[in-house]
């Protein structure tokens, strides 16, 4: 066992934000909620830290669901796309009509991106390797890129996560750093592909332009050393000159090197001098490896890992231990993770972190047992090759196709809510959890929302015919964007905030209530056909509820019916469920309201 010397689970006073409740919390529940995306009915429990770490090797052998064509297929898609773009540009230069073809290619990239986003959500929601999925999201946010940078990035960013991050999150940090830094997505996002040395062959012929410092600055400030750790503006300037020559080779869909753009000479970065090498990538690799081995990088990354998984108040003794292991293993990440998981606080006091929007929505999909097909629907169909759109295609496109929601879509602020949204009865304090009284009021608002906003089963189009319901994945990524964390589309190089007080608000909770209502309305019938392994009389921390008979509006069915709120609160929260949550869910006036109570409870929103 990897745990510190202690009992496997302990009856103790558990803090959830500002609330104190006595529970018995198992390591298996902590592993699923703190280190994964929550409990899922079909997944086997992860009993200890050793099992979490074994996931990394097992998951490495499983290709992700995105990009839909696979890695090589997406590379071919990009080659085809760039060739077609060149043809469109040739039409423009020749003075011929090109607008329809241009819009059609934009639409093609947008459609593939939206399908990949659905696949990204399905990956997190259905994978049995929760720790691996959480680490993938952590590193993706740490090494941020955005699909909003350009149309081509809608095709490149999913490939970036699949080939630069996921295969290397269980190796050495220096390898991960080099893979992400020299990937086309990063070179494009941080404008390195346009950087030109002022004294290079091309630079001497140009009156404008020059080296771009974005890449060098963000690699130091965000990816390695951290803010305020002693590097200077001159270090940034010197590193930016050292990295000139790096560019994007569209034919190879890989980093390229143009010696005519590279600044000649020598460069001093953080006290070390690098001389321009004739070998294309030698200088870039050398400076990245040195940054990866800098003690400031070790401490910066260790603190971020601790803050992301355990608490925003890092334990310095644990950080010191992580740094020591980093030095001993030359940045072997599984060894660093192991040290994190061995910390006393790693298995204590759940509820320290408020779930980010992506985490919350994915955990609801896991709780209701949504399958890959439920989530992806039509988005899961195989994609054909990219072809040149016909000139009249745009004219024949139905409304909503020509400019899909994924293209140029800005995240709707969390404070902007539908007019019919029930306002929360009490705004929780920033960064804290709802008090029991506030929970009851939010629960009442959820019930009111479920009853007052239940629209028609199928939306109607102007012709009066039922419209096809969107797959859960598309609904999910629209909600995640509305909550402020659009998938693969952060607004800047710092990525999305990992601080609980950034996300915790009354408006955020109102939107989550609306999502929970929509989800249970869609999934309750399917859940009713699934039988849980335990009967609802075996609830954690509580004997059989007073109203243990058939719930109003619940219908018949087996005692272990997963759509029974008494069963659902157990499968979704296990021994993490508070007595108040169990009682409120069990006493709800109908099945949908009872299911919602679990998904909007304070503990379900925290990890």
């Amino acid at each position: 066992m990897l745990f510190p010397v202690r009992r496997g689970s302990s009856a103790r006073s558990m803090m959830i934000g500002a609330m104190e409740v006595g529970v018995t919390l198992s390591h298996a529940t902590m592993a699923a909620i703190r280190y994964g995306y929550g409990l899922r009915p079909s997944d086997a429990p992860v009993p200890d830290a050793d099992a979490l770490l074994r996931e990394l090797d097992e998951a490495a052998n499983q290709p992700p669901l995105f990009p839909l064509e696979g890695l090589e297929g997406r590379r071919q898609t990009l080659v085809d796309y760039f060739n077609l773009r060149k043809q469109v540009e040739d039409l423009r230069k020749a003075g011929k009509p090109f607008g329809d073809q241009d819009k059609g290619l934009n639409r093609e990239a947008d459609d593939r991106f939206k399908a990949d986003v659905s696949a990204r959500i399905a990956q997190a929601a259905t994978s049995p390797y929760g720790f691996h999925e959480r680490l993938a999201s952590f590193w993706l946010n740490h090494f941020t890129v955005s699909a909003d940078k350009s149309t081509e990035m809608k095709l490149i960013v999913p490939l970036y996560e699949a080939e630069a991050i996921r295969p290397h999150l269980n190796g050495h940090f220096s390898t991960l750093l080099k893979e992400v830094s020299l990937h086309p997505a990063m070179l494009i996002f941080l404008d390195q592909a346009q950087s030109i040395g002022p004294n290079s062959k091309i630079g001497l012929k140009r009156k404008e332009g020059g080296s771009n410092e974005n890449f060098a600055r963000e690699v130091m400030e965000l990816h390695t050393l951290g803010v305020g750790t002693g590097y200077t503006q001159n270090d940034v300037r010197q590193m930016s000159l050292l990295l000139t020559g790096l560019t994007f080779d569209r034919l190879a869909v890989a980093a390229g090197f143009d010696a005519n753009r590279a600044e000649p000479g020598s460069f001093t970065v953080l006290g070390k001098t690098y001389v321009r090498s004739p070998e294309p990538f030698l200088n870039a690799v050398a400076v990245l490896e040195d940054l990866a081995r800098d003690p400031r990088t070790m401490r910066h990354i260790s603190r971020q890992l601790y803050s992301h998984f355990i608490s925003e108040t890092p334990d310095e003794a644990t950080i010191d231990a992580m740094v020591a292991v980093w030095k001993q293993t030359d940045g072997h990440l599984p060894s660093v993770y192991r040290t994190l998981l061995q910390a006393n606080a790693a298995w204590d006091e759940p509820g320290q972190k408020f779930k980010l929007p992506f985490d919350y929505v994915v955990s609801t999909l896991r709780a209701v047992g949504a399958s890959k097909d439920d989530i992806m629907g039509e988005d899961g169909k195989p994609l054909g090759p990219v072809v040149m759109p016909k000139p009249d295609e745009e004219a024949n496109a139905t409304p909503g196709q020509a400019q899909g929601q994924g293209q140029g879509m800005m995240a709707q602020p969390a404070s902007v809510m539908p007019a019919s949204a029930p306002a929360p009865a009490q705004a929780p304090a920033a960064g804290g959890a709802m008090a029991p009284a506030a929970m009851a009021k939010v629960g009442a608002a959820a019930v009111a929302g479920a009853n007052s906003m239940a629209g028609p089963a199928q939306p109607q189009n102007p012709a009066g015919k039922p419209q096809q319901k969107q797959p859960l994945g598309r609904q999910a990524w629209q909600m995640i964007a509305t909550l402020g964390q659009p998938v693969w589309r952060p607004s800047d190089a710092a990525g999305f905030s990992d601080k609980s007080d950034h996300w915790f608000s009354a408006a955020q909770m109102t939107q989550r209530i609306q999502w929970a209502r929509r989800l249970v309305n869609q999934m309750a019938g399917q859940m009713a056909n699934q039988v849980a392994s335990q009967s609802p009389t075996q609830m954690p921390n509580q004997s059989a509820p007073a109203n243990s008979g058939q719930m109003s509006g619940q219908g018949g069915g087996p005692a272990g019916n997963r759509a029974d709120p008494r069963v659902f609160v157990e499968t979704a929260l296990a021994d993490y469920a508070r007595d108040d949550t169990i009682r409120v869910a069990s006493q709800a006036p109908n099945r949908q309201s009872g299911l919602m109570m679990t998904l909007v409870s304070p503990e379900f929103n925290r990890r």
Side-chain angles (χ1 to χ4, degrees):
M1 290 280 290
L2 260 174
F3 300 114
V5 178
R6 51 170 293 179
R7 287 183 293 171
S9 63
S10 57
R12 63 190 183 280
S13 175
M14 180 183 71
M15 298 297 295
I16 303 180
M19 298 178 298
E20 185 173 318
V21 291
V23 299
T24 300
L25 196 61
S26 69
H27 283 126
T29 302
M30 283 287 280
I33 292 174
R34 173 168 283 177
Y35 300 106
Y37 280 116
L39 294 161
R40 180 177 172 83
S42 59
D43 284 359
V46 179
D48 54 38
D50 285 313
L52 284 178
L53 292 169
R54 282 195 299 270
E55 285 186 7
L56 304 185
D57 290 330
E58 294 171 7
N61 296 321
Q62 305 294 325
L65 298 177
F66 60 88
L68 289 184
E69 309 98 312
L71 299 185
E72 291 308 314
R74 176 52 57 90
R75 288 177 163 277
Q76 186 58 52
T77 294
L78 280 161
V79 170
D80 295 341
Y81 176 83
F82 292 139
N83 286 335
L84 293 173
R85 274 289 173 202
K86 184 178 183 306
Q87 294 178 35
V88 171
E89 179 63 13
D90 290 342
L91 290 174
R92 186 190 68 79
K93 290 179 178 179
K96 297 180 180 179
F98 67 94
D100 289 347
Q101 293 90 332
D102 181 61
K103 293 177 182 178
L105 286 177
N106 287 343
R107 186 170 64 250
E108 177 74 29
D110 188 56
D111 288 345
R112 289 175 187 261
F113 179 73
K114 287 187 284 189
D116 279 341
V117 171
S118 290
R120 175 68 173 85
I121 293 170
Q123 175 70 31
T126 63
S127 173
Y129 308 117
F131 188 43
H132 185 271
E133 290 300 318
R134 284 284 305 284
L135 283 169
S137 292
F138 169 82
W139 289 116
L140 176 67
N141 198 55
H142 181 77
F143 295 114
T144 291
V145 298
S146 177
D148 282 344
K149 181 72 173 182
S150 64
T151 302
E152 65 188 18
M153 285 285 275
K154 295 179 187 296
L155 299 173
I156 296 173
V157 170
L159 182 68
Y160 165 77
E161 179 180 345
E163 69 179 6
I165 290 179
R166 286 177 173 263
H168 305 289
L169 58 79
N170 64 333
H172 287 80
F173 178 76
S174 60
T175 302
L176 177 61
L177 178 63
K178 288 180 287 187
E179 290 290 334
V180 298
S181 299
L182 299 177
H183 193 276
M186 188 65 73
L187 298 176
I188 295 170
F189 180 62
L190 294 179
D191 303 311
Q192 182 60 33
Q194 283 77 47
S195 188
I196 300 173
N199 295 304
S200 66
K201 291 182 179 179
I202 293 179
L204 292 172
K205 297 178 181 179
R206 297 179 56 158
K207 296 181 180 180
E208 298 179 357
S211 66
N212 189 297
E213 296 181 1
N214 288 353
F215 185 64
R217 178 176 292 104
E218 306 307 359
V219 168
M220 286 187 180
E221 181 177 301
L222 299 175
H223 301 171
T224 57
L225 306 176
V227 179
T229 51
Y231 66 88
T232 67
Q233 172 58 29
N234 187 59
D235 289 319
V236 173
R237 174 66 176 168
Q238 287 286 290
M239 184 171 170
S240 72
L241 292 171
L242 176 64
L243 295 175
T244 52
L246 292 176
T247 187
F248 173 30
D249 184 343
R250 282 173 167 76
L251 293 178
V253 192
F257 189 84
D258 186 348
N260 293 326
R261 292 170 173 252
E263 180 76 1
S266 61
F267 316 89
T268 302
V269 181
L270 300 173
K272 180 174 180 178
T273 299
Y274 303 82
V275 179
R276 173 66 65 196
S277 169
E279 295 190 25
F281 298 103
L282 192 146
N283 292 132
V285 167
V287 72
L288 290 171
E289 288 180 342
D290 288 338
L291 286 170
R293 295 186 175 98
D294 193 297
R296 290 169 288 185
T297 297
M298 303 176 191
R299 185 162 295 275
H300 175 55
I301 302 299
S302 296
R303 290 180 68 87
Q304 285 193 322
L305 282 165
Y306 191 104
S307 178
H308 178 77
F309 282 103
I310 300 177
S311 169
E312 292 172 17
T313 307
D315 172 60
E316 291 303 322
T318 301
I319 303 304
D320 290 343
M322 294 170 72
V323 171
V325 167
W326 191 308
K327 291 178 179 178
Q328 294 166 8
T329 64
D330 194 24
H332 183 242
L333 290 172
S335 298
V336 177
Y337 305 149
R338 179 184 296 270
T339 307
L340 175 73
L341 295 171
Q342 286 177 323
N344 286 324
W347 306 93
D348 283 337
E349 297 188 2
Q352 296 296 306
K353 298 279 291 185
F354 188 69
K355 289 180 181 177
L356 275 63
F358 183 86
D359 299 8
Y360 173 74
V361 172
V362 166
S363 64
T364 63
L365 293 170
R366 288 181 64 81
V368 301
S371 68
K372 173 189 170 184
D373 289 340
D374 292 330
I375 296 169
M376 295 195 65
E378 293 294 309
D379 284 336
K381 289 186 175 181
L383 298 173
V386 180
V387 296
M388 179 66 79
K390 296 179 181 178
D392 60 346
E393 251 184 48
E394 184 72 16
N396 294 334
T398 58
Q401 285 181 319
Q403 188 174 2
Q405 291 180 334
Q407 174 143 343
M409 179 180 67
M410 298 300 294
Q412 181 183 357
S415 59
V416 179
M417 296 174 288
S420 59
Q426 178 175 334
M434 288 177 283
M439 176 195 172
K441 292 181 180 180
V442 170
V447 175
N451 294 333
S452 66
M453 295 189 295
Q458 288 181 304
Q460 304 291 311
N461 63 21
K465 298 179 180 179
Q467 294 178 353
Q468 186 176 2
K469 186 182 294 184
Q470 280 191 321
L472 273 179
R474 294 223 176 183
Q475 297 178 53
W477 65 252
Q478 289 166 2
M479 177 53 65
I480 294 167
T482 297
L483 290 170
Q485 195 189 6
V487 178
W488 288 323
R489 296 174 51 238
S491 60
D492 58 48
F496 297 109
S497 174
D498 199 29
K499 301 294 185 182
S500 292
D501 60 4
H502 178 85
W503 301 104
F504 195 83
S505 68
Q508 183 86 195
M509 289 306 303
T510 300
Q511 291 283 13
R512 293 185 184 204
I513 289 169
Q514 295 224 19
W515 166 253
R517 174 193 65 84
R518 186 193 313 172
L519 181 63
V520 299
N521 283 344
Q522 288 187 219
M523 293 295 294
Q526 182 172 318
M527 293 166 64
N529 296 322
Q530 300 170 356
V531 180
S533 59
Q534 280 186 294
S535 73
T537 58
Q538 296 173 294
M539 298 295 293
N541 310 320
Q542 181 179 319
S543 58
N547 62 337
S548 57
Q550 180 176 305
M551 295 189 66
S552 172
Q554 194 169 316
N561 185 327
R562 283 198 52 247
D564 184 330
R566 296 165 297 176
V567 175
F568 182 66
V569 70
E570 178 184 10
T571 59
L573 290 170
D575 46 344
Y576 192 31
R578 299 164 58 251
D579 288 341
D580 283 349
T581 300
I582 297 168
R583 183 180 63 256
V584 171
S586 300
Q587 296 175 355
N590 55 58
R591 181 173 64 189
Q592 280 85 348
S593 297
L595 297 174
M596 284 178 59
M597 291 305 155
T598 295
L599 298 182
V600 302
S601 65
E603 58 266 49
F604 194 90
N605 277 273
R606 303 186 75 90
R607 52 175 170 81

